[in-house]
């Protein structure tokens, strides 16, 4: 950051505010978080005490919406660094709702929370390593990510026309790993990541003691990896039997041409990639039992051909019947984690948020999943609950439901705007934002003692629990 704070040695002139702002905006234009910029803000304020006011004046002169956002973020950090946190949060929280997947906007919100709670160790990421970008590949239809795409939006490449090895060690992939080593985590959505929220990142030197490979990765700050991913999340087929408002506006089924393209990628890219993987996750994009491509793939991944491979299966549950289960013997005894999305603890709410679902069928199929877990055919069975304005009052009851149907865990997470909601709609749903009219009720609901049960995973909701509890358990995705 010396380029920003330095004085021109030849002219001995301090840069103007306009020059400083132009340089800062050029740095922020990549859309990544820049904690090194936020670290320098007190120095800027020493030279320009009225910087927030000057930024506000500049905003009135700007017509470009992107430039306005960058200036508002800078104004928010400047106000926060000056101790005016209420004003800073008022500016940035509104932007955070509108830009829920932006690493930059969520990074600024993360910085303001750190200023508000400076003794909280979760806001200090230096010296901590997230293993995920070194172990995981998420394959979407036109992009590939080293984590869940809502937590790490930047793509490392496109597996449909690139060999997986070239995607795995692409320039972007290595830059993401470098950001883990340097502690900036600049590519990550710091508000959405459950590991950051739960302060469950591993100290680098502790990780280095686990295996000789991790010792090399940590001590040599390796970004180009010789081994492939241990976990592969297949999320390229959005085919689903439901049309849940949180992820789509209508039902979707891949057409013949799309299925043929997926088949080609599965045969030439996915199957070879999975030879050395330990876990395949099917699917974060639709429903595995509704997709012809994923059904074919699950049949192909036999224990004989893939002896070390285990499954994580995520389904909406409507098709998870004994008949369907019996059609896939490859899953029997090899399913390490079964996830069923419910988003509710009552029929009316479930059928509202899981459009097309039938609650009586869900109760029957969830109980069947519990039976599989009890018999050891599924190692771990987890319900998934996406928290929003329509369902937050049912969180405690959902824990009771999880026990009733034999689940071994239940995972709660904030709703994300995948582009299916307008800004106004998402603002109504984002009850976890302090500006929401029902925010106080939401925080009260988060104190429900049932959410302290060991089976509960709070993910990115951990910060709303007032009483100190053990960090939430965090599973992949």
């Amino acid at each position: 950051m010396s380029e920003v704070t330095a004085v021109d040695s030849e002219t001995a002139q301090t840069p103007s505010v306009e020059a400083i702002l132009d340089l800062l905006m050029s740095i922020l234009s990549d859309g990544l978080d820049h904690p090194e910029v936020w670290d320098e803000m007190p120095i800027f304020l020493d030279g320009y005490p009225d910087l927030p006011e000057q930024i506000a004046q500049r905003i009135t002169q700007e017509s470009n919406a992107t430039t306005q956002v960058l200036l508002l973020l800078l104004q928010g950090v400047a106000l926060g660094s000056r101790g005016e946190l209420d004003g800073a949060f008022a500016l940035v929280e509104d932007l955070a709702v509108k830009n829920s997947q932006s690493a930059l906007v969520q990074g600024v919100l993360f910085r303001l929370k750190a200023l508000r709670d400076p003794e909280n160790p979760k806001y200090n990421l230096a010296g901590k390593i997230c293993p995920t970008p070194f172990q995981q590949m998420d394959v979407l239809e036109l992009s590939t990510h080293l984590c869940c795409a809502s937590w790490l939006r930047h793509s490392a490449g496109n597996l449909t026309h690139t060999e997986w090895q070239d995607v795995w060690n692409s320039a972007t992939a290595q830059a993401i790993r470098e950001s883990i080593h340097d502690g900036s985590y600049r590519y990550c959505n710091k508000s959405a990541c459950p590991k950051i929220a739960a302060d469950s990142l591993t100290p680098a030197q502790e990780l280095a003691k686990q295996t000789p490979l991790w010792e090399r990765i940590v001590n040599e700050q390796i970004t180009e990896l010789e081994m492939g991913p241990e976990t592969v999340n297949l999320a390229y087929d959005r085919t689903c039997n439901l049309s849940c408002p949180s992820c789509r506006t209508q039902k979707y089924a891949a057409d013949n041409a799309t299925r043929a393209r997926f088949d080609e990628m599965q045969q030439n890219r996915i199957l070879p990639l999975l030879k050395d993987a330990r876990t395949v996750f099917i699917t974060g994009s639709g429903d595995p039992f509704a997709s012809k491509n994923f059904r074919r793939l699950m049949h192909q991944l036999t224990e004989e051909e893939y002896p070390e491979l285990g499954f994580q299966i995520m389904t909406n549950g409507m098709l998870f019947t004994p008949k369907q289960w019996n059609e896939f013997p490859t899953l029997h005894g090899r399913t390490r984690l079964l996830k069923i999305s419910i988003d509710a603890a009552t029929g009316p709410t479930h059928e509202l948020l899981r459009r097309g679902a039938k609650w009586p069928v869900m109760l029957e199929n969830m109980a069947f999943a519990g039976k599989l877990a009890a018999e050891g055919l599924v190692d771990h069975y987890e319900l998934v609950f996406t928290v929003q304005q329509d369902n937050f009052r049912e969180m405690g009851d959902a824990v009771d439901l999880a026990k009733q149907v034999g689940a071994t865990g239940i995972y709660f997470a904030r709703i994300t705007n995948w582009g299916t909601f307008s800004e106004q709609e998402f603002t109504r749903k984002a009850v976890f934002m302090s500006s929401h009219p029902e925010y106080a009720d939401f925080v009260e609901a988060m104190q429900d003692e049932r959410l302290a049960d060991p089976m509960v995973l709070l993910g990115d909701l951990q910060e709303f629990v007032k009483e100190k509890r053990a960090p939430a358990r965090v599973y992949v995705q």
Side-chain angles (χ1 to χ4, degrees):
M1 283 307 299
S2 59
E3 62 178 321
V4 177
T5 57
V7 174
D8 188 323
S9 60
E10 293 184 3
T11 62
Q13 291 180 349
T14 302
S16 67
V17 171
E18 291 300 314
I20 289 288
L21 292 179
D22 287 342
L23 178 56
L24 290 175
M25 286 191 293
S26 72
I27 294 172
L28 303 184
S29 64
D30 60 8
L32 305 178
D33 188 21
H34 285 275
E36 72 279 6
V37 172
W38 321 141
D39 289 342
E40 298 287 344
M41 190 59 72
I43 298 176
F44 301 148
L45 289 169
D46 284 343
Y48 311 94
D50 63 343
L51 183 60
E53 290 72 28
Q54 295 200 47
I55 296 174
Q57 179 63 31
R58 173 77 176 266
I59 291 171
T60 64
Q61 302 168 3
E62 288 290 346
S63 58
N64 183 277
T66 300
T67 303
Q68 288 177 345
V69 169
L70 296 180
L71 287 168
L72 284 167
L73 293 173
L74 288 169
Q75 186 183 17
V77 176
L79 286 171
S81 300
R82 204 166 67 177
E84 300 173 28
L85 285 170
D86 288 344
F89 275 101
L91 285 175
V92 175
E93 280 200 326
D94 180 58
L95 294 174
V97 173
K98 296 175 181 177
N99 301 272
S100 62
Q101 295 187 60
S102 167
L104 171 58
V105 176
Q106 300 304 325
V108 170
L109 184 61
F110 185 79
R111 172 53 62 107
L112 294 181
K113 290 179 179 180
L115 291 173
R116 186 175 60 188
D117 189 10
E119 300 303 317
N120 193 328
K122 82 173 185 179
Y123 296 114
N124 181 13
L125 303 181
K128 300 175 183 177
I129 298 291
C130 176
T132 303
F134 299 85
Q135 297 177 326
Q136 182 170 316
M137 176 183 283
D138 286 28
V139 185
L140 278 62
E141 183 173 358
L142 298 174
S143 62
T144 306
H145 304 258
L146 303 188
C147 186
C148 172
S150 64
W151 305 339
L152 205 165
R153 191 174 183 179
H154 281 71
S155 172
N158 188 339
L159 213 64
T160 59
H161 54 65
T162 308
E163 295 296 331
W164 71 261
Q165 295 91 337
D166 295 328
V167 173
W168 182 236
N169 281 315
S170 68
T172 300
Q174 293 194 57
I176 290 168
R177 296 181 188 122
E178 182 180 357
S179 77
I180 305 300
H181 284 304
D182 67 27
S184 70
Y185 285 72
R186 65 180 76 257
Y187 288 86
C188 302
N189 185 331
K190 295 180 172 72
S191 295
C193 172
K195 292 182 179 179
I196 291 176
D199 191 23
S200 62
L201 296 174
T202 307
Q205 292 310 311
E206 286 188 18
L207 192 62
K209 296 176 183 178
Q210 292 185 7
T211 66
L213 176 59
W214 273 118
E215 183 178 21
R216 284 190 58 230
I217 290 174
V218 170
N219 293 336
E220 299 176 27
Q221 299 198 352
I222 291 173
T223 61
E224 184 174 3
L225 304 176
E226 297 175 2
M227 73 294 184
E230 294 181 11
T231 299
V232 180
N233 174 19
L234 304 180
Y236 46 83
D237 189 353
R238 297 187 300 111
T239 299
C240 192
N241 53 308
L242 302 183
S243 60
C244 305
S246 57
C247 68
R248 63 194 68 207
T249 57
Q250 59 187 0
K251 282 187 180 180
Y252 172 83
D255 58 25
N256 290 337
T258 302
R259 288 201 301 270
R261 179 161 50 85
F262 290 160
D263 274 338
E264 191 276 335
M265 182 171 67
Q266 286 182 180
Q267 292 301 124
N268 297 328
R269 305 279 197 273
I270 302 300
L271 289 175
L273 170 62
L274 293 178
K275 278 293 185 180
D276 294 320
R278 294 295 177 266
T279 304
V280 58
F281 182 178
I282 313 174
T283 172
S285 57
D287 193 276
F289 301 103
S291 164
K292 292 182 178 180
N293 292 91
F294 287 142
R295 291 174 69 90
R296 184 177 299 110
L297 184 69
M298 288 188 291
H299 281 301
Q300 289 178 293
L301 296 176
T302 64
E303 190 169 10
E304 291 74 23
E305 290 291 324
Y306 298 85
E308 303 299 322
L309 189 67
F311 291 87
Q312 288 188 17
I313 298 296
M314 186 168 183
T315 171
N316 59 52
M318 281 295 293
L319 300 177
F320 195 75
T321 63
K323 181 177 182 297
Q324 288 291 326
W325 175 256
N326 289 334
E327 287 187 20
F328 294 95
T330 54
L331 302 181
H332 300 185
R334 300 172 70 206
T335 301
R336 295 170 183 165
L337 174 59
L338 169 65
K339 296 185 175 189
I340 296 182
S341 300
I342 58 166
D343 296 353
T346 64
T349 304
H350 179 83
E351 293 179 6
L352 171 69
L353 299 179
R354 313 296 295 178
R355 194 163 48 207
K358 301 298 181 185
W359 188 240
V361 175
M362 286 297 300
L363 290 175
E364 184 176 344
N365 291 352
M366 286 189 289
F368 170 64
K371 182 173 180 288
L372 295 179
E375 294 174 352
L377 293 172
V378 168
D379 293 347
H380 182 69
Y381 163 35
E382 179 180 296
L383 300 185
V384 179
F385 190 112
T386 302
V387 177
Q388 53 197 284
Q389 187 269 341
D390 301 288
N391 65 8
F392 74 90
R393 291 181 173 85
E394 297 184 16
M395 291 189 293
D397 291 342
V399 178
D400 293 338
L401 173 65
K403 294 179 178 180
Q404 291 167 15
V405 299
T408 56
I410 179 168
Y411 179 76
F412 294 93
R414 309 180 205 189
I415 192 170
T416 295
N417 189 0
W418 291 98
T420 56
F421 301 118
S422 67
E423 289 182 5
Q424 184 178 10
E425 288 171 332
F426 189 70
T427 298
R428 180 188 71 80
K429 287 183 171 291
V431 69
F432 39 80
M433 302 304 292
S434 62
S435 56
H436 195 284
E438 294 180 76
Y439 176 75
D441 293 337
F442 162 71
V443 172
E444 182 179 355
M446 285 297 306
Q447 313 317 308
D448 191 318
E449 62 181 14
R450 290 174 291 183
L451 298 181
D453 192 285
M455 78 181 307
V456 172
L457 300 89
L458 288 179
D460 59 6
L461 296 169
Q462 185 76 35
E463 67 180 87
F464 300 105
V465 178
K466 295 178 181 178
E467 182 181 347
K468 184 67 176 178
R469 298 176 185 168
R473 294 174 293 140
V474 180
Y475 289 91
V476 176
Q477 301 292 0

